[in-house]
Amino acid sequence: MAGRRARTGRGWDASPPRPGDATTPRPRRGRRGGATEADPDAAPAPPRDEAELAREICLRQLAVRPRTRAELAGALARRGISEEVAAQVLDRYDEVGIIDDAAFARAWVSSRHAGRGLARRALADELRRRGVDGDTASEALGELSEETEAETARALVDRKLRTVRGEPDAVFRRLVGMLARKGYPPGVAIRAVKDALAAQSAEAAEFAEQIDADALAEAENELERDGRAGG
C-alpha cells in the first residue's frame, strides 16, 4: 500500500538508523560538550621520562625563590625521583650555574640582615637548615662585619624604644631578649641597649650607668656554655 512499509517475516523492514536517531549510540559528554569516553583506538600516552619530570620539579621550585642543592634534592626525593636521576639533573644544574650555593648564601645573608636585622648566629642556623655546608656559610657570613652587626643592633633598639613602655630594667631585659632572638651575642646586645637607654632620658641614663656590660655579657656567655654542655 502507498504510504505504508512492506512487512516481512521478521517484522517491519526498518532502514538502518541514521545519525541523530534515538537508537544511535552517542558518546557521553562533559558539562561543556567534550566527550568523556576515551577513544579505544587511541594509542596510550607514553610514560613520563624521569629526568624530564625531575627538571620540571626543579624549575617549579626555582620559580618561587632561589634554592640550594639540598633543598632541590629534598623536593625531588619527596616526589619519588631516584637518587641517581636526581644527582644527574642537579649536577647539570651545578655546571650551568642554575644552582650556586655560594651565591645563594651571600644573597641570603645580605637580604636577611638588611630586612630582618638577623645577626650571624641566626643566619648560620638558617643556612644550615637549607643545606649550605659550613665552609660556604662561613665565607658568606664573613662578609657581615662586627661593626655592621653592632650598628644594626643599635638601630633595632632605637626603633623599638619608640614604642616600648615600662621601667628601665624591664625595658632593658625586653630589648636584650629581642636582640638575642635575632642571633646577637650577649656583649653586642647588652652594649647596644645600654647605649640606647643612656641617650633616651635621665632616668634611663641613670639605670644604664649602673650596668656593667662586660661582666653581664660574660655571665650570659657562661650560661650559654653551660647550656650547650648540658644539652
Side-chain angles (χ1 to χ4, degrees), residues 50-55 58 69-70 72-77 80-96 99:
E50 189 178 13
E52 178 186 353
L53 178 58
R55 288 190 291 269
C58 288
R69 181 182 177 113
L72 292 176
L76 294 176
I81 302 299
S82 67
E83 291 185 6
E84 181 181 1
V85 171
Q88 292 174 354
V89 171
L90 296 177
D91 286 345
R92 179 55 180 163
Y93 280 7
D94 272 332
E95 292 175 6
V96 299
I99 301 174

Side-chain angles (χ1 to χ4, degrees), residues 158-224:
D158 287 341
R159 184 161 63 245
K160 192 69 175 179
L161 275 174
R162 299 170 190 164
T163 57
V164 71
R165 297 291 181 270
E167 295 297 320
D169 59 338
V171 172
F172 175 80
R173 291 193 301 271
R174 183 175 177 181
L175 295 179
V176 169
M178 181 263 295
L179 291 179
R181 289 190 295 273
K182 289 182 177 291
Y184 289 89
V188 174
I190 291 168
R191 291 185 185 91
V193 177
K194 176 180 178 178
D195 292 345
L197 289 175
Q200 185 189 36
S201 66
E203 181 184 6
E206 183 179 356
F207 171 81
E209 187 66 26
Q210 303 172 16
I211 297 173
D212 187 338
D214 292 334
L216 191 54
E218 181 57 30
E220 292 291 336
N221 286 327
E222 287 183 5
L223 288 175
E224 288 188 0

Side-chain angles (χ1 to χ4, degrees), residues 108-124 126 129 141 144 149 152 156 178-179 181-184:
W108 188 271
V109 168
S110 177
S111 64
R112 296 287 285 176
H113 179 75
R116 297 288 303 278
L118 298 184
R120 282 174 292 184
R121 184 183 302 180
L123 292 168
E126 291 189 340
R129 289 196 297 269
L141 292 167
L144 179 59
E149 199 173 49
T152 303
L156 289 170
M178 181 263 295
L179 291 179
R181 289 190 295 273
K182 289 182 177 291
Y184 289 89

